[in-house]
Amino acid sequence: MKRQFVIWMTILLLLGASALAEITSVEQLNRSGVKVGTELGCAAELTIRQELPEATLEQYNDKNLGYVDVANGRLDAFIFERMQMQKAINAGVNGVRLLDENMGDVVKVAVGVSPVSGIPDLKGKINQFIAELRADGTLDEMFERWAIDGNEEMPKIDLPGRPELHLIVGTSGIVPPYSYYVGTTLNGYDIELAYRLAAWLNADLEFKVYDYGAIVPAALSGDVDCIIANLNVTPERAEALPFSDTLYEMGLGVMVRGETPPQSPAATYGRVGVQTGSSFDAIISEKMPDAEAIYFNTKADLVAALNGNKIDTFVVDEPVAKILMREDDRLTFLPDYLETFSFALLFPKSEAGEALRDRFNGFIETLRADGTLDALEEKWFAEDEDAKTMPDVSALSAENGTLRVATEAGYAPFEYVRDGKVVGYDMELAARFCEAFGYGLEIVDMNFDGILSSVQAGKCDFAAAAITVTPERAQTVLFSEPYFSGGTVLIVLKQSDENTPAPGDYNGKRGGVITGSFHDSVIQEALPDSSISEYYSYTDMVAALTDVQTGQSGFMESLSDSFNKTFLREDRWRLFLTGVQNTLIITMLSILFGTALGFAVYMLCRNGNPVANGITRFCTWLVQGMPMVVLLMILYYVVFGSVSIGGIVVAIIGFAFTFGSAVYGMLRMGVGAVDGGQYEAAYALGYSNRRTFYRIILPQAAPHILPAYKGEVVGLIKATSIVGYIAVQDLTKMGDIVRSRTYEAFFPLIAVTIIYFVLEGLIGFLVSRIGVCFSPKRRKPDEILKGIRTDAQD
């Protein structure tokens, strides 16, 4: 048996070797079961996806590991810049070869320019510099010398003695012949180019070396003025970072020598996040039938869930995906559309709604014909926030009345909050329409899953919220002509940073081992200059590593940045102030009216009135048995659907009902705890029924009621967090709005939590002070004996 096994394994290995030997053209790689590798973040990725859609793509942090996997058969091919792979083969990488043909289009390499560089018009200066080098032949000479001839001698380039500028260049230091170390000195094509640029600018020069995963964020944040690091121009990078004119173009070579069928998104991503109320769940059901859809209320919740490994991916529209990527550099999206879509405005199915829809359709066609729609898209999808202006909604004439538009201000760039106002592509479209036809405009911000109901019920005249046209929705509402079309994509986390350090890079640093393990001898041999600390558990070792990586200053800097983005930037503290104000209004008035309602109902029922008790029992059962959010939506969209009252009023009514039913139950419980003999004694003394209740029974029942009453008050404050469903911008909703702009996963939530604690403490303290008046144990003797003569003689 063992001998047969060896024979079969030998045959399989020979078959595998012969299969690998058969790959002689790029065309053979485009088939199921072929595994193709490239370096993470390389421009080759897009070419591979386009040219080899049937193959499985594997991305490597370190291209050298890809070369090894081709040699040992784990990969069928590795696709990368041809010249670098040829240098690797020349340097001794065995068991691999390059195909004669290159793959796809050439890859362009350029200088990445920081959009926040302190050097004025740096991109324009670099382009002029490149043009001059190309004109006099220096650029071609440099490339031939470094990349083709392999000449590693750096020419002497004198920097100015009295520089006018300070140029900071980001580079990689690990990509010969472009940027690499000779001893402790940077060398290569990119380094020479940087020296020439500094001399041309009359600047001194500073290099900063980064991994590729950090080099683009460094430029975006202004840590470097530009990137000269054999940087491929990819569509994804070009969305966030300005690039110079092309320095040179490279061919993608194919190194040849596993076997995993290409996975569909459904197989790769099992848990898919979907925003509640969107049409994405239907797309997931159709395109990814084996995936589990998990629902979240906001984009910020989706981002937090993805970063926290609660989901594997989530679905958004491509324009929103690009905004999310700019805000969180850990995110990217898969290039293939799950489905194409069209956005349209939404109107009620009524004569007025149809007339307004038809007028809007004509307006949209006019904007499309004169190029205004294209201009709106270009403006709102760009990065320059200062250029994103729109008409002043408060200054619209309103000579033909005011239109109410329903939206959800957490879907940049279509609608979001900036400087306390709702702005965006959709909002400018609505404002331009109102401006053209003499309408005023009232923007009603609410949760997305309440928008359809608000239009159907007539609470809003139309909706503009990046709403996808679907046949199901078209059965209940009217859609305008589409004003924007695009594709739906999957957002995923980027893979780990490129160019993971080799073990030898840690020689001379501090290492950790588990006490009693053999790892100390391994480290001593591999990293002889390192110091070793012993730990009793892996938990202690991970904690120590985390402390080293983050540090107290890093934590404080992160905390300060989160505070700035959450409260100070765009004066967002004003949003929280408005949210607190609305929360307090709803809470205090609900307590006031609910207490009065509960007390009045109890007084009607306390003597056994059968009609009053029957109605009260039914209403209490109805109100207490219904989820609060359902009650609010029924009140807002059904009961008061045709009445022009705001969400705050409806919220007060709804919470007053629930709080009143609670007060009624507490009174029944508290009064029931008072001995019935108290009534008989009072009647014997000549007290009336009403006077007995107020003077004798209620004061004794109050100490039993107040603890539960205080708990209901605290619960009411927290329960108001759901009023965003009926277009009320309370504290929680404001927190969601801020999170939708900052994409901070936790800080706004923590801030909202702290504010709720403060509000609960203040209101709870007031209720406790009221309780002192009813508790003999907590009142002073002088207060208890007020009005009684204590010095009277017998």
Side-chain angles (χ1 to χ4, degrees):
M1 190 72 181
K2 183 176 179 181
R3 183 177 179 182
Q4 290 177 335
F5 175 78
V6 172
I7 293 173
W8 277 110
M9 289 300 297
T10 304
I11 293 173
L12 288 174
L13 288 172
L14 291 173
L15 287 174
S18 64
L20 289 174
E22 293 175 359
I23 298 179
T24 58
S25 67
V26 172
E27 183 179 359
Q28 290 176 274
L29 298 174
N30 189 29
R31 64 189 186 192
S32 177
V34 171
K35 296 178 71 175
V36 178
T38 191
E39 190 174 49
L40 184 66
C42 174
E45 176 187 349
L46 182 59
T47 303
I48 293 170
R49 294 189 186 279
Q50 292 174 342
E51 301 289 330
L52 307 175
E54 298 298 323
T56 299
L57 175 63
E58 301 283 348
Q59 294 177 288
Y60 286 75
N61 289 328
D62 186 344
K63 57 185 176 295
N64 296 295
L65 297 178
Y67 304 160
V68 173
D69 278 356
V70 172
N72 62 30
R74 292 194 184 96
L75 279 181
D76 293 298
F78 193 86
I79 298 173
F80 195 59
E81 196 268 308
R82 185 181 189 89
M83 195 170 300
Q84 292 192 50
M85 291 196 296
Q86 186 62 61
K87 287 180 71 68
I89 293 174
N90 295 341
V93 175
N94 297 316
V96 296
R97 60 188 174 88
L98 295 179
L99 296 182
D100 293 335
E101 61 178 314
N102 286 339
M103 179 178 170
D105 298 329
V106 296
V107 176
K108 295 181 179 180
V109 174
V111 178
V113 184
S114 171
V116 292
S117 169
I119 301 177
D121 189 26
L122 181 57
K123 179 180 175 180
K125 290 182 171 66
I126 292 176
N127 284 339
Q128 182 182 348
F129 164 73
I130 292 173
E132 292 181 9
L133 291 189
R134 180 169 284 114
D136 65 15
T138 303
L139 210 57
D140 291 337
E141 184 274 331
M142 284 176 55
F143 187 82
E144 183 172 352
R145 176 161 41 86
W146 285 103
I148 299 176
D149 296 341
N151 187 338
E152 298 187 0
E153 183 178 351
M154 174 73 72
K156 181 174 175 57
I157 301 171
D158 294 326
L159 294 179
R162 304 182 66 180
E164 297 177 357
L165 300 170
H166 180 63
L167 178 66
I168 305 175
V169 174
T171 193
S172 62
I174 56 172
V175 185
Y178 303 102
S179 174
Y180 61 101
Y181 278 96
V182 176
T184 59
T185 304
L186 281 168
N187 200 45
Y189 173 96
D190 290 336
I191 308 307
E192 179 181 341
L193 187 70
Y195 273 105
R196 290 184 181 274
L197 175 60
W200 187 86
L201 289 171
N202 193 28
D204 59 359
L205 180 61
E206 177 185 352
F207 286 106
K208 290 188 176 181
V209 178
Y210 297 88
D211 290 341
Y212 273 104
I215 200 166
V216 172
L220 293 175
S221 66
D223 287 346
V224 298
D225 295 301
C226 63
I227 302 170
I228 306 180
N230 186 239
L231 192 65
N232 300 157
V233 180
T234 68
E236 180 179 317
R237 286 171 175 167
E239 290 169 4
L241 188 70
F243 279 93
S244 72
D245 294 338
T246 302
L247 290 171
Y248 52 87
E249 297 177 343
M250 302 186 303
L252 292 177
V254 182
M255 179 185 287
V256 292
R257 264 292 184 199
E259 187 91 8
T260 300
Q263 290 183 308
S264 67
T268 306
Y269 304 109
R271 301 167 300 167
V272 183
V274 180
Q275 185 173 10
T276 304
S278 71
S279 62
F280 296 144
D281 52 355
I283 297 175
I284 297 303
S285 177
E286 178 184 353
K287 303 293 184 180
M288 304 169 65
D290 297 327
E292 176 190 4
I294 302 175
Y295 293 86
F296 297 87
N297 284 332
T298 68
K299 295 291 179 300
D301 292 333
L302 287 166
V303 173
L306 182 61
N307 284 321
N309 197 33
K310 302 293 189 300
I311 54 177
D312 303 309
T313 182
F314 65 86
V315 189
V316 292
D317 305 316
E318 184 180 13
V320 178
K322 293 176 180 178
I323 297 291
L324 292 175
M325 287 171 55
R326 288 209 297 263
E327 296 292 339
D328 190 335
D329 60 9
R330 294 170 292 183
L331 306 181
T332 186
F333 66 88
L334 303 184
D336 296 329
Y337 288 159
L338 285 176
E339 189 171 85
T340 56
F341 64 84
S342 294
F343 287 161
L345 303 170
L346 189 148
F347 301 85
K349 273 195 171 182
S350 63
E351 291 186 10
E354 187 173 355
L356 186 61
R357 188 273 310 268
D358 293 342
R359 182 171 287 187
F360 242 115
N361 282 344
F363 181 70
I364 290 172
E365 287 303 317
T366 301
L367 296 188
R368 181 175 285 113
D370 65 15
T372 302
L373 280 185
D374 292 335
L376 286 178
E377 180 177 334
E378 182 178 351
K379 177 173 72 174
W380 287 103
F381 292 177
E383 294 185 42
D384 186 4
E385 195 68 29
D386 294 335
K388 298 177 183 178
T389 59
M390 59 177 286
D392 185 1
V393 173
S394 62
L396 296 175
S397 65
E399 59 192 48
N400 294 324
T402 298
L403 298 179
R404 288 167 55 88
V405 57
T407 192
E408 187 230 6
Y411 207 66
F414 292 97
E415 40 271 326
Y416 60 98
V417 175
R418 183 183 67 199
D419 298 330
K421 298 179 180 179
V422 181
V423 298
Y425 181 107
D426 290 344
M427 295 301 99
E428 180 168 358
L429 182 64
R432 283 176 177 265
F433 173 81
C434 293
E435 187 177 43
F437 291 93
Y439 290 109
L441 182 65
E442 180 183 350
I443 299 173
V444 183
D445 182 21
M446 63 180 65
N447 287 4
F448 189 85
D449 46 354
I451 289 176
L452 191 66
S453 300
S454 71
V455 174
Q456 285 180 295
K459 302 297 291 184
C460 293
D461 299 291
F462 68 103
I467 302 172
T468 304
V469 179
T470 67
E472 183 179 359
R473 288 172 174 169
Q475 294 175 3
T476 56
V477 292
L478 300 174
F479 281 105
S480 71
E481 290 294 321
Y483 60 87
F484 178 82
S485 297
T488 302
V489 297
L490 289 175
I491 289 278
V492 297
L493 289 175
K494 292 180 180 178
Q495 299 300 312
S496 57
D497 291 343
E498 299 174 338
N499 302 307
T500 303
D505 295 339
Y506 293 99
N507 191 30
K509 300 183 181 296
R510 294 173 294 168
V513 297
I514 299 296
T515 301
S517 72
F518 66 89
H519 295 141
D520 53 352
S521 60
V522 174
I523 293 180
Q524 287 175 355
E525 180 178 350
L527 309 173
D529 298 329
S530 296
S531 60
I532 303 173
S533 299
E534 294 188 356
Y535 296 88
Y536 287 105
S537 69
Y538 287 105
T539 303
D540 294 338
M541 196 156 56
V542 171
L545 179 61
T546 303
D547 289 342
V548 170
Q549 290 178 333
T550 58
Q552 186 67 21
S553 60
F555 170 76
M556 294 305 298
E557 182 179 351
S558 174
L559 188 65
S560 175
D561 181 60
S562 297
F563 183 86
N564 178 61
K565 288 196 293 185
T566 301
F567 290 103
L568 303 183
R569 190 176 299 175
E570 298 180 2
D571 288 337
R572 290 178 182 142
W573 61 270
R574 296 180 184 273
L575 295 176
F576 285 99
L577 189 61
T578 301
V580 169
Q581 175 182 309
N582 290 338
T583 296
L584 284 176
I585 289 173
I586 295 171
T587 300
M588 299 306 293
L589 292 182
S590 297
I591 292 172
L592 178 63
F593 292 130
T595 300
L597 176 65
F599 190 84
V601 169
Y602 177 79
M603 293 302 293
L604 289 174
C605 298
R606 73 184 185 90
N607 290 325
N609 185 313
V611 176
N613 275 278
I615 295 174
T616 300
R617 280 195 297 270
F618 174 77
C619 291
T620 301
W621 168 79
L622 187 66
V623 170
Q624 292 184 343
M626 190 183 302
M628 194 64 219
V629 65
V630 176
L631 175 61
L632 289 178
M633 295 183 75
I634 289 175
L635 289 174
Y636 188 72
Y637 296 118
V638 180
V639 177
F640 299 107
S642 58
V643 181
S644 182
I645 61 174
I648 289 181
V649 176
V650 173
I652 292 171
I653 293 172
F655 283 111
F657 277 141
T658 57
F659 196 77
S661 67
V663 169
Y664 170 78
M666 286 184 283
L667 284 170
R668 290 188 60 188
M669 175 194 69
V671 172
V674 179
D675 192 278
Q678 299 286 325
Y679 287 97
E680 298 175 3
Y683 295 155
L685 293 173
Y687 279 75
S688 65
N689 179 275
R690 183 176 296 273
R691 193 179 180 197
T692 297
F693 178 77
Y694 285 109
R695 291 292 185 90
I696 298 174
I697 304 301
L698 185 59
Q700 295 182 70
H704 300 285
I705 296 171
L706 283 172
Y709 185 83
K710 181 179 178 181
E712 287 293 331
V713 167
V714 172
L716 176 62
I717 299 172
K718 294 183 287 188
T720 59
S721 62
I722 62 173
V723 294
Y725 284 92
I726 57 171
V728 177
Q729 294 182 337
D730 72 314
L731 178 57
T732 300
K733 179 65 176 177
M734 289 304 189
D736 288 340
I737 289 173
V738 170
R739 291 172 68 212
S740 73
R741 289 286 283 133
T742 64
Y743 297 98
E744 286 276 345
F746 304 112
F747 192 87
L749 291 179
I750 294 171
V752 168
T753 301
I754 291 173
I755 295 173
Y756 269 120
F757 271 119
V758 172
L759 295 180
E760 292 166 9
L762 290 175
I763 296 178
F765 174 76
L766 293 176
V767 175
S768 298
R769 295 306 302 167
I770 295 173
V772 172
C773 301
F774 294 94
S775 175
K777 295 181 179 179
R778 301 177 65 181
R779 293 166 63 193
K780 298 179 180 179
D782 292 343
E783 294 175 343
I784 297 174
L785 300 175
K786 185 177 180 180
I788 300 176
R789 293 183 60 186
T790 58
D791 58 348
Q793 299 293 325
D794 292 337

